[in-house]
């Protein structure tokens, strides 16, 4: 239903040429580029950190393991807004980051870190990381421990076992996590809005602005539909890729 | 090239629970020894001690007389076939078999040559490029064997290697595995809970119970001359009679004084049935049950047709002669007294583990 409403709204308000106009609007194009770069970078960073985190989750023992799980789950449970505000407090002028760096004598003036494009990254990574860790962890947990023993008994040094046995088998989880993070980041609104501010628009924030500030419902509809289609296309491609991945994990 | 392996008074406990108690084993060079026992008897732990995955609290592991206690698994040079094979599912057959050679930095050309030679040996030539997931259970088993042998390990360890195969395939693989082992002359230790498998494949069988070795011997020895009641009943079917049972004398079995607790072992195939009128001085029994097992008949007999005491089991070749017996028939029981074996109860007490 909402999709139909969006489509009729877009066609009714804009017509074919209007749709073209909206999509080639430099502001929108800028936002798209910024969003793509953001989503891709966040996905890659999360991939690296997520793999490390998942490995740590599996290898850690006792209280360290509990702590790692706790940190992961707590960041899932705490509201998105609260976590984003946390980053605002950290990055804002005279915030924790400024004070610490000034205290250390690294800087003298405020960094003015908030409401810049780079400010979006740490927040986004923080919020997306759990979506990456869990699928990778699942892959890792499914790994048969006797394979690691087998590798050892055959004389493999740990690094070889890691490269040739563990990493390749993390692939399905890593692919799933990376796609999830990428797609989520594409349409993400709250975090870019708070940390990036009104001048550093992403697709999510520009749609909101067209809707709530400019009242151009037609443009907002066109952009939303474009986002929906892109996400759908990525999902379909990913599904193909993923099935290829499943081909060799299936029993 | 083959080496002998030794375990000397190995004790293992995990988290305070004793798992192995004073296990000593001599594995002669080039022989095939099977660790046989019920689950929880410590046979897999014994294998893991040999492989180096479990370090004993006390005792020693020797390869060819040299202690290897300090060597980690990756430096012990043991080829292991795991119960679930532990093949790498993301690699091809060739990459799997090649893995131990890669770990040893063998040059590529030599690696390929050795992989091919090994695949031929396990009768899977030309499967190099196949994915593990496309192979059948038996083929995976062969790949696992090839991977365990390709680096010419000092010891081959098999952890329930045939448990995942169906009965038919298992029997042919037993013969094949044994043939391969003899051909390569590699000292081999296998773990199984399948007594038939142990008897067919091994030079020596070590029967384990509650973390200790009850008896080590050739398959014939442990089957015909078990040291304890446990070994007698674990391996095949056993009729056990107390030595002071009048039946023992009636069957003509002589025994040297070993106290009234000693028991006489009579294997079902050592017993015969006769017509009571042909053998009036033989002990009389009733046929209570006849089972047809194909090649053999399994007949349960009892001195009293309604008795609740345990039946004796007689195993006969299923020839026309034997099929003359009917349930309810009166029969005379006979045996070759030389086949009877007396078990000394002194051997039975399993060491120390009970209180722990």
């Amino acid at each position: 239903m909402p999709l139909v409403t969006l489509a009729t709204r877009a066609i009714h308000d804009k017509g074919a040429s209007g749709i073209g106009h909206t999509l080639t609007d430099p502001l929108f194009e800028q936002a798209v580029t910024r969003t793509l770069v953001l989503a891709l970078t966040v996905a890659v960073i999360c991939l690296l950190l997520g793999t490390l985190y998942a490995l740590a989750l599996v290898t850690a023992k006792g209280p360290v393991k509990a702590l790692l799980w706790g940190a992961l789950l707590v960041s899932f449970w705490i509201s998105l807004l609260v976590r984003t505000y946390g980053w605002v407090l950290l990055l804002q002028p005279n915030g924790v980051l400024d004070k610490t760096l000034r205290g250390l004598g690294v800087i003298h003036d405020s960094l003015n870190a908030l409401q810049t494009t780079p400010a979006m990254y740490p927040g986004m990574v923080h919020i997306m990381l759990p979506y990456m860790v869990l699928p990778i962890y699942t892959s890792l947990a499914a790994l048969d421990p006797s394979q690691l023993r087998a590798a050892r008994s055959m004389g493999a040094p740990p690094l070889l076992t890691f490269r040739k046995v563990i990493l390749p088998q993390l692939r399905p989880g890593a692919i799933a996590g990376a796609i999830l993070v990428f797609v989520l980041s594409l349409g993400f609104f709250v975090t870019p809005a708070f940390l990036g501010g009104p001048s550093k628009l992403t697709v999510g924030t520009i749609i909101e602005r067209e809707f709530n500030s400019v009242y151009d419902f037609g443009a907002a509809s066109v952009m939303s539909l474009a986002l929906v289609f892109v996400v759908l296309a990525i999902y379909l491609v990913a599904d193909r890729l993923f099935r290829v991945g499943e081909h060799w994990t299936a029993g | 090239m083959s080496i002998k392996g030794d375990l000397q008074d190995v004790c293992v406990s995990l988290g305070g629970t004793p798992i192995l108690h004073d296990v000593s084993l001599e594995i002669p060079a080039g022989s095939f020894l099977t660790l046989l026992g019920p689950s929880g008897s410590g046979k897999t732990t014994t294998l893991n001690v040999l492989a180096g995955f479990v370090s004993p609290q006390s005792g020693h592991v020797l390869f060819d007389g040299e202690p290897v206690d300090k060597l980690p698994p990756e430096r012990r040079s043991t080829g292991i076939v795991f119960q679930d094979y532990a093949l790498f599912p993301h690699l091809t057959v060739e990459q799997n078999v090649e893995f131990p050679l890669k770990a040893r930095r063998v040059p590529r050309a030599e690696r390929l040559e050795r992989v091919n030679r090994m695949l031929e040996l396990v009768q899977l030539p030309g499967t190099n490029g196949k994915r593990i997931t496309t192979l059948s259970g038996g083929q995976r088993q062969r790949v696992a064997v090839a991977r365990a042998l390709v680096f010419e390990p000092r010891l081959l360890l098999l952890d329930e290697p045939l448990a995942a195969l169906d009965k038919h395939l298992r029997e042919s693989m037993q013969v094949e595995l044994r043939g391969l082992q003899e051909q390569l002359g590699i000292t081999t230790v296998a773990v199984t809970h399948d007594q038939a498998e142990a008897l067919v494949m091994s030079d020596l069988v070590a029967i384990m119970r509650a973390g200790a070795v009850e008896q080590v011997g050739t398959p014939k020895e442990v089957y015909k001359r078990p040291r304890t009641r446990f070994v007698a009943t674990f391996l095949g079917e056993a009729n056990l009679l107390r030595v002071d049972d009048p039946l023992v004398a009636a069957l003509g079995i002589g025994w040297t004084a070993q106290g009234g607790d000693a028991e006489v072992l009579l294997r079902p195939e050592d017993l015969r049935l006769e017509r009571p009128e042909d053998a009036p001085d033989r002990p009389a029994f009733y046929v209570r049950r006849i089972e047809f097992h194909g090649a053999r008949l399994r007949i349960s007999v009892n001195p009293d047709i309604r008795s609740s005491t345990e039946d004796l089991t007689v195993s006969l070749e299923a020839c026309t002669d034997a099929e003359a017996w009917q349930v309810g028939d009166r029969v005379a029981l006979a045996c070759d007294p030389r086949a009877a074996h007396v078990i000394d109860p002194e051997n039975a007490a399993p060491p120390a583990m009970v209180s722990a």
Side-chain angles (χ1 to χ4, degrees), chain A residues 29-54:
Chain A
E29 281 182 346
Q30 249 179 40
V32 168
T33 318
R34 187 178 290 121
T35 309
L36 282 177
V37 172
L38 175 76
L40 205 64
T41 316
V42 168
V44 170
I45 295 176
C46 279
L47 186 63
L48 295 176
L49 291 181
T51 307
L52 290 178
Y53 203 104

Side-chain angles (χ1 to χ4, degrees), chain A residues 144 146-147 149-157 160-161 164-165 168-169 247-248 250-251, chain B residues 48 53 72-74 78 80 82 84 86-90 99-100 103-104 133 140 147 151:
Chain A
D144 181 357
S146 70
Q147 283 184 27
R149 284 149 69 101
R152 274 191 85 184
S153 75
M154 291 183 281
L160 185 77
T161 306
K164 294 285 177 188
V165 181
Q169 298 193 64
H247 196 68
W248 45 258
Chain B
N48 281 333
F53 290 120
E74 57 269 31
T78 52
I80 306 178
F82 290 82
D84 55 2
L87 295 170
F88 305 130
H90 58 292
F99 188 86
R104 287 173 171 68
T133 42
R140 287 183 203 197
R147 189 180 65 172
F151 59 101

Side-chain angles (χ1 to χ4, degrees), chain A residues 3 16-17 29 43 88 94 107 117 142 151 178 251:
Chain A
L3 270 182
S17 65
E29 281 182 346
V88 171
N94 288 318
I107 52 166
T117 309

